[in-house]
Amino acid sequence: MRISELSRRSGVSTATIKYYLREGLLPPGRATAATQAEYGESHVRRLRLIRALIGVRGLTVSAAKDVLDTISEGNSDTHELLGLVFGVWPAGGKDEGAAEEDHSGVAALVSEMGWKVSEHNPARQVITQTLHTLRSLGMDYDWHDLVPYAELAEKTAVLDLDQLQGPDDPLEKAERAVLLTFLLEPALLALRRLAQEAESTIRHRG
């Protein structure tokens, strides 16, 4: 297909496609003339993933390129692919960087749940900061109070991963992982708010 058709199929403007080509996010098409090229389905899938990484995941162009380069190296390990797009570890190696020191009991929570997770997962620091803030505001709250929520999160993770079964193409799998994770998060929070209102109605309105 020509670049105009690639634009229509992917939903990305021609100018943006040319920018991605210059920046190396998108591989060049097959040259048919000095100033013309043809593109295939792999370009469509890669553009969709670029849109997901930048528009949904919120990555910079440079960070998106790192992710795409790592995926393009032919790594078929689904676990590492998901860790990469979820931001569990950076492109180029899941063990890079230093984990934050745990002062909140996150390690104890992870151990209690029997989870095998990376020490560098940024979610650890989010929990650490949240628990610290709650305690600083006078709430007697620690990791034990998070166990019931962790159990619910575990069930949610099963649903998440079930929905990622199917596509064998790493670009398609990565796109689906980004969309299902980051676009669903606001809806999951909204469901919590609806459930809170429903439970409050039962308890306080009869």
Side-chain angles (χ1 to χ4, degrees):
M1 69 191 82
R2 298 290 181 85
I3 193 170
S4 57
E5 175 68 7
L6 178 61
S7 174
R8 187 187 69 79
R9 291 274 306 279
S10 65
V12 179
S13 71
T14 300
T16 301
I17 291 175
K18 290 180 178 178
Y19 170 68
Y20 290 158
L21 287 166
R22 290 195 303 271
E23 293 298 315
L25 275 78
L26 191 67
R30 182 176 66 86
T32 57
T35 59
Q36 292 185 342
E38 289 183 343
Y39 303 89
E41 289 299 321
S42 63
H43 290 90
V44 176
R45 289 194 296 270
R46 190 171 175 105
L47 273 173
R48 287 174 178 165
L49 177 55
I50 292 171
R51 288 183 67 189
L53 291 173
I54 295 176
V56 177
R57 176 77 169 78
L59 295 183
T60 64
V61 169
S62 175
K65 185 177 184 302
D66 288 341
V67 171
L68 290 163
D69 287 346
T70 302
I71 293 174
S72 297
E73 289 174 359
N75 187 348
S76 59
D77 187 316
T78 299
H79 179 63
E80 292 196 16
L81 173 64
L82 295 180
L84 186 64
V85 297
F86 292 161
V88 173
W89 47 76
K94 62 182 179 180
D95 294 322
E96 292 181 358
E100 296 287 339
E101 186 177 356
D102 176 24
H103 296 291
S104 67
V106 176
L109 173 62
V110 169
S111 176
E112 175 72 16
M113 295 301 300
W115 290 346
K116 295 181 179 179
V117 296
S118 168
E119 292 183 357
H120 310 291
N121 191 320
R124 288 176 176 265
Q125 185 61 14
V126 172
I127 296 172
T128 296
Q129 292 173 345
T130 300
L131 291 177
H132 174 75
T133 300
L134 287 170
R135 287 194 295 269
S136 70
L137 293 174
M139 287 195 66
D140 184 16
Y141 207 93
D142 66 13
W143 69 268
H144 297 87
D145 299 291
L146 288 178
V147 170
Y149 292 98
E151 292 169 346
L152 292 174
E154 191 170 64
K155 294 179 181 179
T156 301
V158 172
L159 294 175
D160 290 339
L161 272 293
D162 283 346
Q163 294 183 76
L164 296 180
Q165 298 298 318
D168 294 324
D169 183 273
L171 294 177
E172 187 178 351
K173 189 184 290 288
E175 179 200 12
R176 189 172 177 83
V178 172
L179 295 179
L180 285 175
T181 299
F182 293 93
L183 287 184
L184 271 181
E185 283 186 343
L188 295 180
L189 180 58
L191 285 173
R192 184 187 184 193
R193 295 290 181 262
L194 291 174
Q196 287 173 334
E197 180 187 354
E199 182 64 19
S200 178
T201 300
I202 293 172
R203 294 190 183 198
H204 305 299
R205 290 290 180 86

